[in-house]
Amino acid sequence: MSIKKSQTFVQLDVRNWDNTEIVESLYEICETIKSMKMMLEVHQVVDLGKLKNEWRYLIILNISQDLDNLGAQIEHY
């Protein structure tokens, strides 16, 4: 089994904590980045501090992908 591991990051800006659910935000970020046959986990959430009226966070994600099992081939028309 050939596993490819990598790391990526996403910046999350929060203006209003009353309207923000951090767990839902992390789930949406992961679902947006995730592709078929990929394992994604949140490695770390780093508080970058407050700038003007926004709190900034750096979301670091670990990505694992099985290169021997990429899923079904997509047909192009």
Side-chain angles (χ1 to χ4, degrees), residues 21-56:
E21 292 290 332
I22 191 72
V23 174
E24 286 181 17
S25 297
L26 289 174
Y27 180 79
E28 288 175 13
I29 289 169
C30 290
E31 286 300 309
T32 301
I33 294 173
K34 191 175 179 180
S35 68
M36 193 173 197
K37 301 291 182 181
M38 179 185 289
M39 186 172 132
L40 191 70
E41 67 181 359
V42 177
H43 174 73
Q44 188 174 11
V45 178
V46 180
D47 185 353
L48 298 177
K50 188 175 180 182
L51 180 64
K52 296 184 182 180
N53 292 330
E54 293 183 346
W55 290 268
R56 291 195 169 178

Side-chain angles (χ1 to χ4, degrees), residues 4-5 8 10-11 15-17 19 22-23 25 27-28 33 45-46 51 55 58 60 62 66-67 71 73:
K4 176 184 174 186
K5 293 188 177 201
T8 189
V10 178
Q11 182 174 315
R15 291 186 184 168
N16 185 348
W17 276 109
N19 295 331
I22 191 72
V23 174
S25 297
Y27 180 79
E28 288 175 13
I33 294 173
V45 178
V46 180
L51 180 64
W55 290 268
L58 186 67
I60 302 171
N62 290 336
D66 183 357
L67 297 178
Q73 185 174 0

